[in-house]
Amino acid sequence: MTETENSKWDAGRFVKTLAYFRVIPFIGSCSWLQRLFGSAPKQKQETSSVVLVAGATGGVGKRVVSRLVKRGYKVRALVRDGKRAKNILGNNVEIVEADITIQETLTSELTKDVTKVICCTGTKVQPVEGDTPKREKYYQGVKFYMPEVVDVPEMVEYKGIENLLEAVGGQLKQNTEKMLFDFRQPTQDLKETWGVLDDVVMGGVSESSIRLVENTALFTGNVSTANSGGFASVRTRNFDPPKDLGGYSGIEMRVKGDGKRYKFILRCQSKWDGVGYCYSFDTVYNIWTTVRIPFDDLIPVFRAKTLEDGKPFDRDRVYSVQLMLSKFEYDRALNPKFSPGFFQLQVEYIKAYGGDNLPLFVMVSSAGVTRPGRPGLNLDEEPPAVRLNDQLGGILTWKLRGEDALRSSGIPYTIIRPCGMTEEAGGKPLIFDRGDNIKGLVSREDIADLCVEVLDIPEANKVTFEVKAAKEGEKQQDLKPLFAALNPDVTS
Ligand SMILES: NC(=O)c1ccc[n+]([C@@H]2O[C@H](COP(=O)([O-])OP(=O)(O)OC[C@H]3O[C@@H](n4cnc5c(N)ncnc54)[C@H](OP(=O)(O)O)[C@@H]3O)[C@@H](O)[C@H]2O)c1
């Protein structure tokens, strides 16, 4: 059949398509019409991932927890004393008792669904003369009190970090990918999520379907150019909430096709007929291939017309996924691998890849960790922790070993090395450095902000840096340029 030929258009299919995608709000929200035109939609929430805060009862840890909760994260607090933690942290966080120095306490209750870790643990240090119950002498951070360690630094700073990495490392590394659809483990969601969107919406007569076959999704049908049509597609209903693919680089699919060229389309607006972000991919006849679609290569289109000034793709808010076979590429250019008639594309999975872009394990360490024993160091000018490292059980030396364990773990990380921490208000400009030379003070408020903010800053990934506050001025609104000026760590 040629383009000029007319075929009988199916109004029923047209209405059914619009109803499925709720383009006709009345039909989309009316249950008996839904039954007539398709199944009633069931909303599916994204599985909730958990941020684990270790050392959550500490000066930095408790501030990190409250910031995460405010931002809507689901938070789990690793604490040694549950009752005390409840008083400090309140009821909006899940509290799990554990001790990082005792591997057996790091159970699946603690690690289940954890996708990010912020580690603010540290050897308990106190003035030799003793402290108040609220540890006011330790926390104030300005006046010097001769310190002593209460716990064993090797155990807390090094073995403890190793234990924590062993408990969650495997699952954090797995989270560098995010499965969107795994048709190898099929559920009934397919029908509730994916619907057919053929050229019937524009008067055409192409006809397709998507169904589960041999643990794959089979997108198949008959594409026709009659009535000036020429496309068949399947598309998901809008995700609610939209998928957050912020930390990922692109989409990976495992497909087996028929040698034709298909389109993969994402949308980052909830509009049904809005801008699509499109990528064309070729299939090999009857052979499984892996297709990688970098987000940066997506082309903004409106109905296959490229948008010169299209907004960049917003990977934080992905509303829908679409697979299409079309006679056209972009701007009315023809798809060179198109032929009308029967087609079939089998899909095993669709997932986001490249999630190692963002830090998944944030560690609060300390400035000075590389200074004990450094040749030429004038100890009189060094802060107490460096000067007294040996008397304090090698606290900084063991912290460095803990850092090394994280750096070599393969987990995307950020290591924050604060200078002396105080209880003063935050909000001063921050000074970042590398090489472990700076001295100064910084508020725990600012360190807690940093711990949370780096989770969304790719430039902070695989970076170890020192930080202190400047004496005057306003804190930078955007921390990205500060991180961009630092080089990532070089690990052997
Ligand atoms: N003070 C400074 O000027 C300074 C400067 C730079 C870096 N730092 C480092 O920054 C980090 C945070 O400092 P901070 O002032 O917030 O320290 P903090 O108030 O002493 O908090 C340390 C936290 O670690 C927990 N912890 C200790 N041992 C543990 C174990 N075995 N298992 C589980 N949790 C354990 C503590 O739990 P409990 O509440 O049960 O004791 C506490 O919640 C520490 O690593 C510290 O060394 C401090």
Side-chain angles (χ1 to χ4, degrees):
M1 199 170 318
T2 68
E3 215 179 312
T4 46
E5 282 181 80
N6 286 336
S7 282
K8 196 165 178 293
W9 181 68
D10 187 339
R13 267 203 318 126
F14 172 70
V15 174
K16 198 170 167 174
T17 302
L18 300 194
Y20 183 87
F21 291 103
R22 299 152 160 198
V23 185
I24 308 173
F26 173 62
I27 293 180
S29 57
C30 176
S31 57
W32 70 265
L33 280 173
Q34 277 166 6
R35 276 197 296 282
L36 194 66
F37 289 116
S39 60
K42 195 168 90 187
Q43 294 300 328
K44 198 168 166 263
Q45 294 295 312
E46 277 213 82
T47 51
S48 49
S49 55
V50 172
V51 183
L52 178 69
V53 181
T57 44
V60 174
K62 68 181 181 191
R63 290 173 166 98
V64 166
V65 168
S66 78
R67 279 157 176 77
L68 289 170
V69 169
K70 260 195 209 132
R71 289 191 183 204
Y73 284 99
K74 197 169 165 196
V75 182
R76 185 170 304 144
L78 183 166
V79 301
R80 291 194 284 190
D81 180 341
K83 228 179 188 177
R84 189 169 147 259
K86 210 168 170 60
N87 284 334
I88 296 173
L89 305 174
N91 296 321
N92 289 332
V93 291
E94 204 184 318
I95 290 171
V96 176
E97 278 189 3
D99 184 323
I100 58 166
T101 66
I102 307 170
Q103 182 79 61
E104 306 81 71
T105 65
L106 307 177
T107 59
S108 58
E109 185 198 1
L110 182 79
T111 57
K112 186 172 183 291
D113 296 332
V114 168
T115 54
K116 292 177 173 105
V117 175
I118 301 182
C119 182
C120 314
T121 52
T123 312
K124 194 168 177 181
V125 178
Q126 66 182 21
V128 175
E129 65 183 50
D131 208 335
T132 65
K134 289 190 170 170
R135 299 183 68 202
E136 282 149 311
K137 291 181 199 166
Y138 166 75
Y139 279 135
Q140 50 84 34
V142 182
K143 186 173 169 214
F144 175 69
Y145 293 93
M146 182 51 88
E148 66 179 5
V149 287
V150 179
D151 298 315
V152 182
E154 179 181 357
M155 291 306 292
V156 180
E157 311 290 354
Y158 172 51
K159 289 269 161 43
I161 297 297
E162 276 205 328
N163 288 340
L164 199 52
L165 290 171
E166 194 176 322
V168 292
Q171 72 195 59
L172 291 188
K173 277 191 256 177
Q174 270 178 18
N175 283 327
T176 56
E177 292 181 345
K178 181 168 182 160
M179 191 56 79
L180 301 179
F181 296 99
D182 189 352
F183 302 112
R184 295 165 299 185
Q185 289 159 12
T187 65
Q188 276 313 305
D189 287 354
L190 186 79
K191 272 193 212 144
E192 288 160 11
T193 310
W194 288 85
V196 170
L197 177 44
D198 295 330
D199 58 13
V200 67
V201 290
M202 307 173 83
V205 297
S206 300
E207 211 165 337
S208 70
S209 67
I210 184 163
R211 60 181 197 276
L212 291 168
V213 174
E214 293 163 358
N215 293 344
T216 65
L218 176 65
F219 166 41
T220 184
N222 188 51
V223 67
S224 161
T225 53
N227 299 1
S228 305
F231 77 83
S233 84
V234 285
R235 172 170 161 178
T236 63
R237 282 188 173 126
N238 279 344
F239 305 125
D240 182 17
K243 304 268 183 206
D244 178 359
L245 304 183
Y248 299 88
S249 312
I251 296 289
E252 182 181 302
M253 289 190 296
R254 184 100 181 124
V255 298
K256 186 169 83 172
D258 45 13
K260 293 184 173 163
R261 176 174 296 180
Y262 290 80
K263 283 178 181 171
F264 177 85
I265 305 166
L266 292 175
R267 282 180 175 74
C268 49
Q269 293 173 324
S270 57
K271 262 193 200 163
W272 191 66
D273 194 18
V275 178
Y277 290 81
C278 203
Y279 182 90
S280 299
F281 63 95
D282 291 334
T283 59
V284 184
Y285 177 76
N286 212 21
I287 295 209
W288 283 104
T289 55
T290 303
V291 179
R292 278 205 163 187
I293 303 167
F295 289 136
D296 289 343
D297 291 356
L298 290 168
I299 301 168
V301 294
F302 181 68
R303 299 186 189 162
K305 201 169 161 322
T306 53
L307 299 170
E308 286 297 312
D309 50 357
K311 278 194 197 152
F313 174 66
D314 177 3
R315 52 187 90 177
D316 294 350
R317 303 179 68 74
V318 175
Y319 278 93
S320 67
V321 178
Q322 186 172 7
L323 289 164
M324 179 183 278
L325 175 62
S326 174
K327 174 182 166 184
F328 294 105
E329 280 272 271
Y330 308 101
D331 304 320
R332 298 204 67 78
L334 291 174
N335 174 354
K337 300 205 169 171
F338 178 82
S339 57
F342 176 77
F343 70 90
Q344 73 168 30
L345 176 72
Q346 255 175 300
V347 184
E348 217 172 55
Y349 62 76
I350 302 175
K351 67 186 177 190
Y353 73 89
D356 48 1
N357 258 352
L358 284 171
L360 300 180
F361 194 115
V362 180
M363 177 187 201
V364 181
S365 176
S366 178
V369 287
T370 65
R371 285 182 236 173
R374 186 190 284 180
L377 200 76
N378 183 354
L379 277 183
D380 294 338
E381 289 175 4
E382 287 301 314
V386 178
R387 236 174 28 235
L388 301 169
N389 184 52
D390 288 345
Q391 290 94 313
L392 296 174
I395 189 167
L396 292 179
T397 313
W398 291 115
K399 264 191 199 298
L400 182 61
R401 293 282 299 275
E403 283 189 2
D404 288 340
L406 176 55
R407 272 187 291 266
S408 59
S409 67
I411 300 166
Y413 66 85
T414 303
I415 298 174
I416 302 171
R417 293 173 169 171
C419 291
M421 287 199 287
T422 72
E423 287 293 285
E424 278 155 23
K428 302 243 173 73
L430 296 178
I431 297 170
F432 287 7
D433 202 11
R434 281 172 58 94
D436 196 15
N437 293 307
I438 58 169
K439 294 159 206 162
L441 297 174
V442 63
S443 163
R444 282 187 180 79
E445 300 283 345
D446 289 336
I447 297 302
D449 283 342
L450 262 179
C451 287
V452 176
E453 281 172 36
V454 295
L455 295 176
D456 295 319
I457 303 181
E459 292 83 354
N461 192 18
K462 300 197 180 79
V463 171
T464 304
F465 70 104
E466 297 81 46
V467 54
K468 68 174 183 175
K471 295 230 160 53
E472 299 295 331
E474 276 179 31
K475 190 171 158 188
Q476 302 84 345
Q477 290 297 314
D478 184 3
L479 295 173
K480 276 189 187 174
L482 290 184
F483 282 105
L486 304 174
N487 290 325
D489 297 337
V490 180
T491 40
S492 50

